[in-house]
mmCIF file of all heavy atoms in Angstrom:
data_model
loop_
_atom_site.group_PDB
_atom_site.id
_atom_site.type_symbol
_atom_site.label_atom_id
_atom_site.label_comp_id
_atom_site.label_asym_id
_atom_site.label_seq_id
_atom_site.Cartn_x
_atom_site.Cartn_y
_atom_site.Cartn_z
ATOM 1 N N GLY A 570 7.079 23.528 5.805
ATOM 2 C CA GLY A 570 8.056 24.361 5.098
ATOM 3 C C GLY A 570 7.454 25.014 3.849
ATOM 4 O O GLY A 570 6.443 25.714 3.968
ATOM 5 N N ILE A 580 4.326 12.811 0.305
ATOM 6 C CA ILE A 580 4.522 12.002 -0.942
ATOM 7 C C ILE A 580 6.004 12.162 -1.336
ATOM 8 O O ILE A 580 6.624 11.174 -1.676
ATOM 9 C CB ILE A 580 3.575 12.480 -2.058
ATOM 10 C CG1 ILE A 580 2.107 12.129 -1.758
ATOM 11 C CG2 ILE A 580 3.990 11.981 -3.400
ATOM 12 C CD1 ILE A 580 1.095 12.746 -2.711
ATOM 13 N N GLU A 582 8.530 12.747 0.370
ATOM 14 C CA GLU A 582 9.564 12.152 1.327
ATOM 15 C C GLU A 582 9.733 10.671 1.141
ATOM 16 O O GLU A 582 10.643 10.111 1.682
ATOM 17 C CB GLU A 582 9.040 12.426 2.834
ATOM 18 C CG GLU A 582 9.245 13.781 3.287
ATOM 19 C CD GLU A 582 8.589 14.067 4.591
ATOM 20 O OE1 GLU A 582 7.839 13.238 5.089
ATOM 21 O OE2 GLU A 582 8.842 15.156 5.143
ATOM 22 N N SER A 669 -0.332 -0.580 11.547
ATOM 23 C CA SER A 669 -1.054 0.657 11.860
ATOM 24 C C SER A 669 -0.064 1.814 11.900
ATOM 25 O O SER A 669 0.900 1.802 12.632
ATOM 26 C CB SER A 669 -1.704 0.524 13.247
ATOM 27 O OG SER A 669 -2.307 1.767 13.622
ATOM 28 N N ALA A 675 -8.665 1.964 16.967
ATOM 29 C CA ALA A 675 -9.466 1.208 17.988
ATOM 30 C C ALA A 675 -9.889 -0.144 17.447
ATOM 31 O O ALA A 675 -9.863 -1.157 18.189
ATOM 32 C CB ALA A 675 -10.683 2.044 18.383
ATOM 33 N N PRO A 698 6.325 4.028 17.592
ATOM 34 C CA PRO A 698 6.779 2.965 18.572
ATOM 35 C C PRO A 698 6.080 3.063 19.967
ATOM 36 O O PRO A 698 5.849 2.021 20.599
ATOM 37 C CB PRO A 698 8.256 3.052 18.577
ATOM 38 C CG PRO A 698 8.607 3.823 17.432
ATOM 39 C CD PRO A 698 7.491 4.720 17.092
ATOM 40 N N THR A 709 7.445 -5.172 18.231
ATOM 41 C CA THR A 709 7.165 -4.040 17.368
ATOM 42 C C THR A 709 8.204 -3.954 16.243
ATOM 43 O O THR A 709 9.415 -4.146 16.507
ATOM 44 C CB THR A 709 7.199 -2.718 18.141
ATOM 45 O OG1 THR A 709 6.112 -2.699 19.069
ATOM 46 C CG2 THR A 709 7.042 -1.533 17.167
ATOM 47 N N ARG A 742 15.325 -16.470 4.838
ATOM 48 C CA ARG A 742 16.737 -16.830 5.032
ATOM 49 C C ARG A 742 17.002 -17.607 6.305
ATOM 50 O O ARG A 742 17.703 -18.562 6.323
ATOM 51 C CB ARG A 742 17.629 -15.509 5.040
ATOM 52 C CG ARG A 742 17.738 -14.928 3.690
ATOM 53 C CD ARG A 742 18.715 -13.764 3.760
ATOM 54 N NE ARG A 742 18.810 -13.170 2.416
ATOM 55 C CZ ARG A 742 19.055 -11.850 2.236
ATOM 56 N NH1 ARG A 742 19.254 -11.093 3.279
ATOM 57 N NH2 ARG A 742 19.130 -11.360 1.003
ATOM 58 N N ASN A 761 14.993 5.109 -6.024
ATOM 59 C CA ASN A 761 15.346 5.907 -7.210
ATOM 60 C C ASN A 761 14.120 6.025 -8.115
ATOM 61 O O ASN A 761 13.908 7.081 -8.720
ATOM 62 C CB ASN A 761 16.505 5.222 -7.967
ATOM 63 C CG ASN A 761 17.768 5.251 -7.098
ATOM 64 O OD1 ASN A 761 17.899 6.003 -6.163
ATOM 65 N ND2 ASN A 761 18.719 4.412 -7.456
ATOM 66 N N LYS A 770 6.060 16.121 -11.481
ATOM 67 C CA LYS A 770 4.659 16.091 -11.034
ATOM 68 C C LYS A 770 3.681 16.694 -12.120
ATOM 69 O O LYS A 770 2.552 16.397 -12.054
ATOM 70 C CB LYS A 770 4.502 16.952 -9.717
ATOM 71 C CG LYS A 770 5.346 16.434 -8.575
ATOM 72 C CD LYS A 770 4.860 17.086 -7.310
ATOM 73 C CE LYS A 770 5.722 16.574 -6.113
ATOM 74 N NZ LYS A 770 7.063 17.081 -6.111
ATOM 75 N N GLY A 802 -5.377 3.313 -4.473
ATOM 76 C CA GLY A 802 -5.539 4.521 -5.303
ATOM 77 C C GLY A 802 -6.950 5.017 -5.191
ATOM 78 O O GLY A 802 -7.161 6.255 -5.092
ATOM 79 N N LEU A 822 -14.791 -6.975 -13.407
ATOM 80 C CA LEU A 822 -15.670 -5.938 -13.939
ATOM 81 C C LEU A 822 -16.806 -6.461 -14.733
ATOM 82 O O LEU A 822 -17.940 -6.011 -14.555
ATOM 83 C CB LEU A 822 -14.858 -4.970 -14.833
ATOM 84 C CG LEU A 822 -14.099 -3.784 -14.228
ATOM 85 C CD1 LEU A 822 -13.592 -2.961 -15.391
ATOM 86 C CD2 LEU A 822 -15.037 -2.959 -13.340
ATOM 87 N N LYS A 823 -16.479 -7.403 -15.641
ATOM 88 C CA LYS A 823 -17.515 -7.864 -16.584
ATOM 89 C C LYS A 823 -18.596 -8.706 -15.827
ATOM 90 O O LYS A 823 -19.556 -9.066 -16.416
ATOM 91 C CB LYS A 823 -16.857 -8.754 -17.621
ATOM 92 C CG LYS A 823 -16.113 -9.976 -17.111
ATOM 93 C CD LYS A 823 -15.512 -10.734 -18.269
ATOM 94 C CE LYS A 823 -14.654 -11.920 -17.756
ATOM 95 N NZ LYS A 823 -13.470 -11.520 -16.947
ATOM 96 N N GLU A 831 -19.798 4.635 -18.524
ATOM 97 C CA GLU A 831 -20.588 5.389 -19.479
ATOM 98 C C GLU A 831 -19.593 6.130 -20.382
ATOM 99 O O GLU A 831 -18.384 6.062 -20.110
ATOM 100 C CB GLU A 831 -21.401 6.442 -18.743
ATOM 101 C CG GLU A 831 -22.393 5.892 -17.805
ATOM 102 C CD GLU A 831 -23.027 6.968 -16.971
ATOM 103 O OE1 GLU A 831 -22.480 8.031 -16.790
ATOM 104 O OE2 GLU A 831 -24.168 6.741 -16.432
ATOM 105 N N ALA A 840 -0.834 -1.836 -14.942
ATOM 106 C CA ALA A 840 -0.328 -3.072 -15.489
ATOM 107 C C ALA A 840 1.197 -3.183 -15.287
ATOM 108 O O ALA A 840 1.969 -2.799 -16.163
ATOM 109 C CB ALA A 840 -0.665 -3.167 -16.987
ATOM 110 N N GLU A 855 -12.162 -3.687 -22.987
ATOM 111 C CA GLU A 855 -13.554 -3.915 -22.708
ATOM 112 C C GLU A 855 -14.247 -2.628 -22.279
ATOM 113 O O GLU A 855 -15.384 -2.334 -22.638
ATOM 114 C CB GLU A 855 -13.746 -4.971 -21.641
ATOM 115 C CG GLU A 855 -13.349 -6.429 -22.145
ATOM 116 C CD GLU A 855 -13.061 -7.408 -20.977
ATOM 117 O OE1 GLU A 855 -13.288 -7.040 -19.764
ATOM 118 O OE2 GLU A 855 -12.584 -8.476 -21.282
ATOM 119 N N PRO A 863 -9.708 6.047 -20.959
ATOM 120 C CA PRO A 863 -8.696 5.211 -20.276
ATOM 121 C C PRO A 863 -7.428 5.943 -19.966
ATOM 122 O O PRO A 863 -6.942 6.743 -20.815
ATOM 123 C CB PRO A 863 -8.447 4.183 -21.336
ATOM 124 C CG PRO A 863 -8.629 4.845 -22.650
ATOM 125 C CD PRO A 863 -9.688 5.888 -22.410
ATOM 126 N N LEU A 890 5.191 -0.346 -4.318
ATOM 127 C CA LEU A 890 5.785 0.786 -3.687
ATOM 128 C C LEU A 890 6.003 1.984 -4.683
ATOM 129 O O LEU A 890 6.163 3.142 -4.278
ATOM 130 C CB LEU A 890 7.156 0.451 -3.083
ATOM 131 C CG LEU A 890 7.109 -0.274 -1.756
ATOM 132 C CD1 LEU A 890 6.922 -1.816 -1.998
ATOM 133 C CD2 LEU A 890 8.356 -0.062 -0.929
ATOM 134 N N SER A 892 4.239 2.039 -7.989
ATOM 135 C CA SER A 892 3.048 2.365 -8.808
ATOM 136 C C SER A 892 2.009 3.175 -7.990
ATOM 137 O O SER A 892 1.225 3.846 -8.610
ATOM 138 C CB SER A 892 2.413 1.060 -9.349
ATOM 139 O OG SER A 892 2.023 0.242 -8.286
ATOM 140 N N TYR A 901 -4.036 13.792 -5.254
ATOM 141 C CA TYR A 901 -3.683 15.124 -4.670
ATOM 142 C C TYR A 901 -4.103 16.256 -5.604
ATOM 143 O O TYR A 901 -4.794 17.169 -5.194
ATOM 144 C CB TYR A 901 -2.189 15.188 -4.381
ATOM 145 C CG TYR A 901 -1.701 16.595 -3.971
ATOM 146 C CD1 TYR A 901 -1.917 16.996 -2.640
ATOM 147 C CD2 TYR A 901 -1.129 17.470 -4.907
ATOM 148 C CE1 TYR A 901 -1.509 18.284 -2.300
ATOM 149 C CE2 TYR A 901 -0.774 18.713 -4.570
ATOM 150 C CZ TYR A 901 -0.978 19.160 -3.203
ATOM 151 O OH TYR A 901 -0.604 20.409 -2.852
#
Side-chain angles (χ1 to χ4, degrees):
I580 289 172
E582 283 171 352
S669 177
T709 295
R742 285 189 184 148
N761 295 342
K770 302 191 179 74
L822 271 188
K823 61 181 175 296
E831 298 172 340
E855 291 159 9
L890 283 84
S892 60
Y901 171 78

